Amino acid sequence: MPELPEVETVRRGLNRVTPGAKILGGDLLLDRTIAHPAPGEFIAALTGLTLVTWQRRGKYLLAELQSPATAASGLGKAQLTQAPPSTSYWVVHLRMTGQLLWVDQAEPLAKHTRVRLFFPENRELRFVDTRTFGQMWWVPPDRNLADIIPTLGKLGPEPFSEAFSEDYLADRLQASRRPIKTALLDQTLVAGVGNIYADEALFLSRIRPTTRCDRLSLPQITALRQAVIDVLEKSIGVGGTTFSDFRDVQGLNGNYGGQAWVYGREGEPCLVCGTALDRMRLAGRSSHFCPTCQT
DNA sequence: AGTCGCTCCTGCGTGC
DNA sequence: TGCACGCAGGAGCGAC
């Protein structure tokens, strides 16, 4: 399931192949995928625009799009020369099962293909999403990203940024009585952590998922912050995990050589102390932990 | 305002 | 063999 490391891996893959590519057209196969504008307007809105670069914010992918140079067209010339540089954004959230694949247009369509965008030389960016939770937006040049995508505007700091400081984390956690596992999944606390890395980071910092945020000690908060950073960084470094069926833009699986410490290992021995790992339901999701190592 | 449970959806594994 | 069921989980939403 795409969390920050998988999304970052997709971003890097896209930036190797799509910059400078002009969108020639497309095909929308599932209207529900388009959150903005109206599904019927989506393909037309993107057609003719050029992909500049891909950015990431939390689990969101943001493609910067550029209109054709004013000199390139005789149409609406007067208007265009007055307009500010018209950068718009194509924003994609993979949710649970979304995949962006850079393929040849002759590639057979996967069953759950939702959106196709066509590029020169028979190339295609294809959005495949089994469970249809994935969404995409087009944000026109004169609109703010946060207005069109409110959740994007409410995201907490990036885990690798200075804003994700010990002071920030301590302040936020001390004001909350939620279980720490629940808080880690809250994208307004820190952007990009999902269920897998939340469990892994809690194991690495030896904290029980059920621990109330306001009862964490400062050393625990320090350890947790570092564990979040470490586990995400390590996974990015190896191109996303193989904990899931994640695929990069070339359709290849991640090559994470190691294994999860706790995620998906209920009943198996803790790799540190040998105790059988436990699993419980928290905030509607499975939480895996070692009853001995995590207190 | 903080917190929680429900819901969206499809495929897969399990048990009867 | 076939079927029902639980589970996977990101995040929007309504409820308390």
Side-chain angles (χ1 to χ4, degrees):
Chain A
M1 311 302 162
E3 300 181 32
L4 188 153
E6 290 77 25
V7 176
E8 177 63 16
T9 299
V10 171
R11 185 187 76 82
R12 293 179 183 186
L14 290 169
N15 272 339
R16 278 195 289 268
V17 289
T18 67
K22 183 177 179 178
I23 300 167
L24 302 180
D27 194 9
L28 175 60
L29 290 86
L30 182 71
D31 284 355
R32 194 166 58 234
T33 306
I34 309 303
H36 186 91
E41 302 169 16
F42 179 76
I43 297 293
L46 268 70
T47 298
L49 303 181
T50 297
L51 280 164
V52 178
T53 189
W54 287 86
Q55 300 161 40
R56 181 190 57 74
R57 181 75 175 92
K59 301 170 194 170
Y60 290 84
L61 286 161
L62 300 90
E64 190 182 325
L65 303 170
Q66 194 61 55
S67 291
T70 54
S73 167
L75 296 172
K77 202 171 189 174
Q79 281 185 324
L80 287 169
T81 45
Q82 286 177 4
S86 47
T87 296
S88 61
Y89 287 91
W90 174 31
V91 182
V92 181
H93 197 304
L94 304 174
R95 287 302 207 288
M96 308 292 304
T97 55
Q99 302 176 56
L100 279 172
L101 300 170
W102 183 247
V103 297
D104 194 282
Q105 285 169 34
E107 183 78 16
L109 278 193
K111 181 179 177 185
H112 302 296
T113 303
R114 309 305 184 192
V115 181
R116 310 176 69 191
L117 287 183
F118 304 127
F119 293 87
E121 298 173 17
N122 292 315
R123 299 304 291 177
E124 173 180 346
L125 197 47
R126 194 174 283 179
F127 184 66
V128 180
D129 182 24
T130 305
R131 290 169 64 184
T132 75
F133 289 176
Q135 286 197 292
M136 52 185 73
W137 301 257
W138 180 66
V139 182
D142 56 339
R143 300 291 301 276
N144 290 323
L145 285 161
D147 292 340
I148 306 284
I149 314 165
T151 306
L152 181 59
K154 292 173 189 147
L155 285 181
E158 288 290 317
F160 307 129
S161 72
E162 289 185 14
F164 187 54
S165 65
E166 287 184 28
D167 285 348
Y168 162 79
L169 191 57
D171 284 352
R172 286 288 305 264
L173 295 182
Q174 279 159 14
S176 171
R177 282 177 290 277
R178 288 185 291 180
I180 182 59
K181 168 65 183 290
T182 307
L184 285 174
L185 297 177
D186 179 354
Q187 301 299 297
T188 71
L189 177 71
V190 56
V193 176
N195 203 42
I196 296 175
Y197 296 109
D199 281 2
E200 295 293 293
L202 286 170
F203 175 80
L204 290 173
S205 48
R206 305 173 61 89
I207 299 166
R208 286 240 184 178
T210 46
T211 308
R212 267 172 56 158
C213 291
D214 60 355
R215 292 189 178 158
L216 288 168
S217 67
L218 276 177
Q220 282 181 308
I221 293 172
T222 301
L224 176 59
R225 174 182 166 279
Q226 197 58 51
V228 166
I229 292 169
D230 288 348
V231 73
L232 295 176
E233 225 163 39
K234 183 180 178 191
S235 189
I236 290 172
V238 294
T241 72
T242 51
F243 300 160
S244 64
D245 54 4
F246 167 72
R247 303 274 151 168
D248 69 15
V249 293
Q250 310 292 345
L252 302 175
N253 204 280
N255 58 353
Y256 189 65
Q259 61 175 322
W261 290 98
V262 289
Y263 184 81
R265 298 191 61 239
E266 181 190 12
E268 296 176 35
C270 172
L271 298 170
V272 170
C273 75
T275 304
L277 296 175
D278 206 348
R279 178 169 73 108
M280 66 182 307
R281 203 100 184 134
L282 206 51
R285 299 198 180 70
S286 279
S287 292
H288 312 74
F289 65 101
C290 173
T292 301
C293 292
Q294 293 172 259
T295 56

